[in-house]
Amino acid sequence: MTDNPILDDLRADRALTVVRAPSLPDSAALCRALAEGGIRTVELTFTTPDVLTHLERAADVEGTCLGVGTVRTAAQARDAVRAGAKFLVTPDVNEEVADAARDVGVPVFLGALTPTEVARAASLGSAVVKIFPAKAFGPGYLKDLHGPFPGLPLLPSGGVSEANAGEFLAAGAVAVCAGTSVVPPATVAIGDWADITSRAARFVAALG
């Protein structure tokens, strides 16, 4: 893993939160709630309407590293960084987005699954390789991938919960993606930030 404060925080916290919600009343309040629960790295996504506005509103929240996921094009990558995103995440091995991330100087976490995709993501400069969908193959798959790719930072996403997050870390994940178990769309939509903080704290405690 390269020297980068974003990646240092991710390694230290061992978790980031992926927010997928049809509505987001206050992105800054959401980020503060998550940070209070111990998760400082937050990924909004292009599947949320008006995500660029939400990025702008939360970009300067103290103690939070804010990025954006489901990035599919270079234009989205550039727009997101202008709106305040500090890192980019893709669902696939996307060379266009990788090139754009390099051009604007932010880390990219490329999505991959097979060994061929993992190797390609690493060759494109992926700071961390997101393994998706992680639940379909389980923690043992990450351990298997580290055989041919020792030391490569892997980030499991999709189906990671309090029940299995520790297993993914034990299998060599640099961190895990917390999804709807921490940020249920309905809870986000009504702005129940106290519940979000509680969920984040429980998830962090389950990491061991």
Side-chain angles (χ1 to χ4, degrees), residues 4 86 100-107:
N4 185 298
K86 299 299 189 296
R102 183 174 57 252
D103 290 343
V104 297
V106 300

Side-chain angles (χ1 to χ4, degrees), residues 96-117:
E96 179 181 341
V97 175
D99 289 344
R102 183 174 57 252
D103 290 343
V104 297
V106 300
V108 63
F109 304 166
L110 297 175
L113 183 61
T114 68
T116 298
E117 291 170 347

Side-chain angles (χ1 to χ4, degrees), residues 1 7 10-11 14-15 128 142 153-156 169 172-176:
M1 187 176 288
L7 304 183
L10 185 60
R11 190 205 297 266
R14 300 181 295 164
V128 174
L142 256 67
L154 301 178
L155 176 69
L169 291 170
V174 68
V176 293

Side-chain angles (χ1 to χ4, degrees), residues 16-20 157-161 176-185 199 203:
L16 66 81
T17 305
V18 182
V19 182
R20 294 188 185 278
S157 178
V160 180
S161 66
V176 293
C177 290
T180 55
S181 65
V182 172
V183 281
R199 288 172 177 274
F203 188 89

